[in-house]
Amino acid sequence: MSRCAEDLASGENEEGSNGINLMEFSDEILLHILSYVPCTDLVLNVRKTCRKLATLCLDKSLTHTVLLQKDYKVNKDKVKQLMRDIGKEIYQLNMAGCYWLPSSTTDHVTRCKNLVKLNLSGCRITSLRLSKMLSTLQHLRSLAIDVNPGFDASQLSSECKATLSRVSELKQTLYTPSYGVVPCCTSLEKLLLYFEILDRSREGFMLSGQLMVGESNVPHYQNLRVFYARLAPGYVNQEVVRLYLAVLSDRTPENLHAFLISAPGSFAETGATKNLLDSMARNVRLDALQLPKAWLNGSGLLQHLKFNNPFYFSFSRCTLSGGHLIQRVINGGKDLKSLTSLNLSGCVHCLAPESLFRRAEDDIDSSILESLVVSCCNLRHLNLSAAHHHSSESIGNHLCQLLSRLKHLLSLALPVCSITDVAVSMEKPPTQPNAVPQTFGKKTRVGVQTYPRTLTDQACQKLESSVFWMLMRSLRCLETLEIIGSSFSSAMPRNEPAIRNSLPPCVRAQSVGDSEVAAISQLTYLQSLTLAQLPNIVTGSGLVSIGLQCQHLRTLSLANLGMMGKMVYMSALMDMLKHCKCLRDLRLEQPYFSAGSQFFQALSHCSSLQRLCIVSRSGTLQSDAVMSFMANCLEVIMCHMFMGESLTVCRNLQQSIVRRCGSTEGFSSWKRTNVGRAPWFRLLGCAGSQYLCRLK
């Protein structure tokens, strides 16, 4: 039984200091409390405590939707019992990512006769099992599955195909070239495709993106309203998605209102895709648009596309100038109040009137940004990262001052150089007596770093007058914030090739340091924070302020802070972690990182931590400290470390954790750990995925 379930169950017998019994609350209040308890605990444990809870735990509001995703304590027997007790009451079932459950677990889903929405992404399921299961789910309208090598659509029964013909929403992740179940879904309105096909098989053979003859004319898109495709790197994924698009190019659905394709790197436009885009420009009015940069750069497509009430635009990495943005997208400020999400990541010229003859480090045109803010006043998600957005010296026209008008923002991504005060950035940053040199040459001896617990009155006044401080003060409802250096490149990127040496930080970014980080502590509701390539971090005192004030923080990603020769903010980081009780995901990328006993002792205070990833060239770790940390933090289910330790050390550590996982009851909730040594050019022991991804 989970901790919250135990507390709830004991409420019947225990009275607080005021003599109030939990069972004396009204049913409405108790139902609200029970909604925070996992469904498996409600049905299998809590309802057995008393008659009142036995009735409430089976309320339709609690059994209508069952979420098993990330419920790492659930097993096959619990799923079987759950389906037996409330299977007929379940209308939505989410088992996404339950990789530890055997494939036979899905056989029990057949008890959910009234199921309308089913998510099996990440679950192992064969064609025959899928056919048997779907044959009994006649009310199913939404489905999410994986298509793995060996999938055979010919094994699907007529009853299964009848169920699929009524499905209107399909999410399909492809690990092999195939149409999957798309040809059987004749009533599709929403199609989400994720292409994760490797270019080579496990045996090393090159794969082909060609599909079986006779399948290419089967998909039915006549009712399609939403088409979304996300591609992993590789030419095979591009070949397969073109076959999916070929049917769309022949006849574009009249009701199509969202067309989004996310493709890393270069994805060349072909004659078929050009015909598709031309047809869309003539026949449909879109509400959401995202295209590969090669399809937009140099074309007049945006000038001809028609939009209805757009809510999502993504022009990531496109050569879109500010003039085109205002004229073709914002349409002079008309009808853009509906736009809630705008991605201009990597659009280096999007805030300049023309891209011709303009250097990336030139000042932005504040009038373009002002038009954007006025026209799109209801924006909730804005990404301006991976570009140099330098404000001019004009009073009141700083980027931070203009963005402060967007009161509805929930997520924001900015380059480091955009948040600095112009007057300060023009001055040479002060030289710190104990600062570490930026190069990797001879090091200066550095003693134990100290940092101020409180700011002086003069420092507070100077800090509160900065434009970034005022921006944070005006966006109190912000939940996701990313401050990333314009030239930052991760050592382990998801969709880009890894490089050894990244470009140096922008000159204006040199003045961004601890005081700017401290300003983030004003975001009381902050849940996700990413800081990368802030060169002027000296003590990390701002991190302590964030730990104290941002009590809802769940995701934290720090990369290349301060001078690169030494991690000088370790003391402040450890102090910060002691206050992060809700932190679930932590990713650290820093050369020369020393993961010792003090660090893991501080990390043990993060009682909710589930995922840890450390990427450190020439970094070190203490095996005993890792073992102690894993024993104390029972919620951790993923631990990736790419350090400079020897392969022998890493193998011994991994074996020790696996042995203890199987023999110690305290590790029963811990499922999987991959510890790998990562010399700069090689990955050992894990796939190297980035678990805390930036906005796409």
Side-chain angles (χ1 to χ4, degrees):
M1 188 185 301
S2 67
R3 186 181 306 170
C4 56
E6 291 177 348
D7 295 341
L8 184 62
S10 63
E12 182 184 13
N13 300 319
E14 296 182 4
E15 295 184 355
S17 58
N18 296 326
I20 299 177
N21 192 302
L22 183 62
M23 292 299 102
E24 296 177 356
F25 290 137
S26 65
D27 290 353
E28 290 77 10
I29 294 178
L30 287 176
L31 285 174
H32 181 73
I33 296 174
L34 291 171
S35 65
Y36 291 92
V37 181
C39 188
T40 51
D41 272 335
L42 289 177
V43 177
L44 303 182
N45 297 316
V46 178
R47 77 184 181 106
K48 298 178 181 179
T49 57
C50 68
R51 292 182 180 179
K52 184 171 185 178
L53 287 178
T55 302
L56 292 178
C57 288
L58 296 181
D59 189 84
K60 289 184 178 180
S61 63
L62 301 177
T63 60
H64 179 276
T65 301
V66 174
L67 303 178
L68 300 181
Q69 183 184 23
K70 297 184 179 181
D71 189 354
Y72 300 105
K73 296 183 180 180
V74 72
N75 54 35
K76 178 183 177 181
D77 294 334
K78 289 185 177 181
V79 174
K80 180 180 178 180
Q81 186 64 38
L82 184 69
M83 300 305 168
R84 181 181 300 173
D85 292 349
I86 63 168
K88 295 181 180 180
E89 308 299 327
I90 301 176
Y91 288 84
Q92 297 185 21
L93 176 60
N94 188 347
M95 297 178 63
C98 295
Y99 57 85
W100 63 89
L101 295 177
S103 57
S104 58
T105 308
T106 56
D107 295 342
H108 304 296
V109 179
T110 56
R111 295 180 179 271
C112 306
K113 303 295 184 181
N114 297 318
L115 207 58
V116 176
K117 187 173 184 178
L118 175 62
N119 191 338
L120 295 175
S121 297
C123 296
R124 294 171 289 180
I125 185 169
T126 62
S127 307
L128 291 175
R129 274 205 162 89
L130 181 66
S131 177
K132 179 182 177 181
M133 179 181 59
L134 295 184
S135 298
T136 63
L137 305 179
Q138 300 180 2
H139 301 285
L140 194 67
R141 295 297 180 268
S142 177
L143 176 65
I145 60 170
D146 292 350
V147 177
N148 294 292
F151 181 87
D152 187 359
S154 64
Q155 295 179 343
L156 303 179
S157 64
S158 57
E159 293 83 1
C160 172
K161 292 180 179 178
T163 299
L164 289 172
S165 66
R166 295 185 288 269
V167 170
S168 59
E169 178 179 333
L170 175 65
K171 176 186 175 183
Q172 189 170 259
T173 304
L174 297 165
Y175 294 96
T176 186
S178 172
Y179 278 117
V181 299
V182 172
C184 304
C185 302
T186 57
S187 303
L188 273 183
E189 296 182 7
K190 186 176 182 180
L191 179 59
L192 310 177
L193 299 170
Y194 295 79
F195 296 87
E196 299 286 345
I197 310 169
L198 300 177
D199 290 342
R200 292 180 180 270
S201 64
R202 291 187 175 182
E203 294 76 19
F205 299 108
M206 297 289 293
L207 295 179
S208 172
Q210 297 300 317
L211 303 183
M212 294 177 59
V213 177
E215 285 188 331
S216 58
N217 59 350
V218 177
H220 301 273
Y221 294 145
Q222 60 268 22
N223 299 318
L224 202 63
R225 295 175 55 84
V226 177
F227 181 89
Y228 173 82
R230 192 191 72 182
L231 284 69
Y235 74 94
V236 175
N237 291 315
Q238 296 183 6
E239 287 186 7
V240 177
V241 76
R242 285 194 176 100
L243 296 176
Y244 277 84
L245 294 174
V247 181
L248 279 175
S249 62
D250 293 336
R251 182 181 178 183
T252 306
E254 296 179 357
N255 295 324
L256 187 68
H257 74 91
F259 187 77
L260 306 103
I261 298 180
S262 175
S266 176
F267 186 20
E269 185 181 26
T270 63
T273 56
K274 188 177 186 303
N275 293 336
L276 168 62
L277 297 177
D278 291 340
S279 177
M280 289 171 52
R282 293 192 304 269
N283 302 318
V284 301
R285 300 181 70 89
L286 296 174
D287 291 334
L289 177 67
Q290 179 177 359
L291 296 175
K293 61 180 181 180
W295 298 13
L296 285 174
N297 291 344
S299 69
L301 177 64
L302 290 178
Q303 189 172 1
H304 302 290
L305 284 175
K306 295 183 287 291
F307 301 104
N308 189 24
N309 293 305
F311 62 87
Y312 178 87
F313 282 147
S314 178
F315 304 109
S316 179
R317 307 287 178 180
C318 294
T319 57
L320 182 70
S321 69
H324 291 165
L325 179 67
I326 297 299
Q327 297 171 10
R328 301 178 182 180
V329 180
I330 298 180
N331 192 24
K334 301 177 182 177
D335 302 326
L336 259 295
K337 301 294 187 296
S338 59
L339 192 67
T340 58
S341 182
L342 178 61
N343 186 355
L344 297 174
S345 173
C347 297
V348 296
H349 306 298
C350 65
L351 299 181
E354 296 295 338
S355 59
L356 194 62
F357 305 119
R358 180 185 182 272
R359 297 177 302 173
E361 60 271 15
D362 288 345
D363 292 344
I364 63 173
D365 188 338
S366 58
S367 62
I368 295 176
L369 181 58
E370 187 172 12
S371 299
L372 175 66
V373 169
V374 172
S375 303
C376 311
C377 57
N378 293 321
L379 273 178
R380 286 173 170 78
H381 311 281
L382 177 62
N383 191 340
L384 295 173
S385 62
H388 295 273
H389 295 315
H390 298 168
S391 300
S392 63
E393 298 184 24
S394 302
I395 300 177
N397 291 326
H398 194 281
L399 179 140
C400 291
Q401 294 173 317
L402 295 174
L403 293 182
S404 63
R405 304 180 190 177
L406 299 174
K407 302 299 183 181
H408 302 288
L409 275 181
L410 297 178
S411 67
L412 177 64
L414 294 174
V416 176
C417 56
S418 69
I419 68 173
T420 181
D421 286 271
V422 179
V424 175
S425 64
M426 295 303 180
E427 300 175 1
K428 184 178 180 180
T431 303
Q432 300 292 339
N434 291 330
V436 181
Q438 297 186 24
T439 63
F440 289 101
K442 185 177 180 180
K443 306 297 186 299
T444 301
R445 181 164 181 159
V446 179
V448 177
Q449 295 292 325
T450 59
Y451 50 90
R453 299 287 178 171
T454 58
L455 296 173
T456 63
D457 294 340
Q458 183 178 1
C460 285
Q461 293 177 0
K462 183 177 181 181
L463 178 61
E464 294 179 6
S465 64
S466 69
V467 291
F468 184 64
W469 182 278
M470 291 187 288
L471 174 64
M472 295 294 97
R473 185 171 54 193
S474 62
L475 303 179
R476 291 296 180 90
C477 295
L478 204 65
E479 297 177 355
T480 301
L481 177 64
E482 299 182 359
I483 306 295
I484 303 173
S486 304
S487 55
F488 171 74
S489 179
S490 173
M492 294 181 58
R494 171 67 174 88
N495 289 328
E496 298 174 359
I499 60 176
R500 180 180 175 89
N501 294 319
S502 60
L503 296 174
C506 172
V507 175
R508 291 203 182 188
Q510 298 289 347
S511 60
V512 178
D514 297 317
S515 58
E516 284 75 17
V517 174
I520 300 174
S521 63
Q522 299 177 92
L523 304 177
T524 309
Y525 301 101
L526 187 66
Q527 297 183 17
S528 177
L529 175 63
T530 299
L531 300 176
Q533 203 180 42
L534 276 67
N536 202 34
I537 295 292
V538 179
T539 64
S541 57
L543 295 175
V544 183
S545 301
I546 294 175
L548 289 170
Q549 302 298 327
C550 305
Q551 289 296 304
H552 298 282
L553 190 64
R554 296 187 175 187
T555 299
L556 177 63
S557 180
L558 305 177
N560 295 1
L561 302 186
M563 303 302 182
M564 296 295 291
K566 181 76 174 180
M567 185 171 176
V568 295
Y569 62 94
M570 174 63 87
S571 180
L573 175 62
M574 292 188 296
D575 204 351
M576 173 195 187
L577 293 175
K578 296 176 182 179
H579 306 289
C580 297
K581 303 300 182 182
C582 295
L583 191 66
R584 295 184 179 181
D585 301 285
L586 175 62
R587 186 181 190 277
L588 298 174
E589 182 173 338
Q590 190 82 28
Y592 304 100
F593 181 83
S594 178
S597 58
Q598 291 184 342
F599 168 74
F600 282 108
Q601 286 176 6
L603 193 59
S604 297
H605 288 83
C606 304
S607 55
S608 302
L609 192 68
Q610 295 181 351
R611 285 167 289 274
L612 171 65
C613 180
I614 301 177
V615 181
S616 179
R617 180 170 57 144
S618 303
T620 60
L621 62 86
Q622 292 183 11
S623 299
D624 294 341
V626 177
M627 293 295 297
S628 177
F629 160 72
M630 294 300 298
N632 293 330
C633 294
L634 300 181
E635 300 297 325
V636 175
I637 52 90
M638 191 282 292
C639 180
H640 281 193
M641 296 186 188
F642 301 92
M643 314 288 281
E645 295 290 349
S646 66
L647 181 58
T648 302
V649 171
C650 293
R651 283 179 175 173
N652 292 338
L653 176 57
Q654 182 165 336
Q655 291 173 1
S656 299
I657 294 179
V658 171
R659 283 196 302 267
R660 192 163 185 179
C661 173
S663 60
T664 304
E665 183 179 357
F667 276 85
S668 60
S669 64
W670 179 84
K671 297 296 180 182
R672 181 180 64 177
T673 295
N674 291 320
V675 181
R677 176 177 181 254
W680 202 238
F681 57 92
R682 196 176 179 194
L683 299 180
L684 298 174
C686 65
S689 299
Q690 243 182 269
Y691 286 82
L692 308 182
C693 299
R694 297 194 298 272
L695 293 175
K696 295 292 184 277

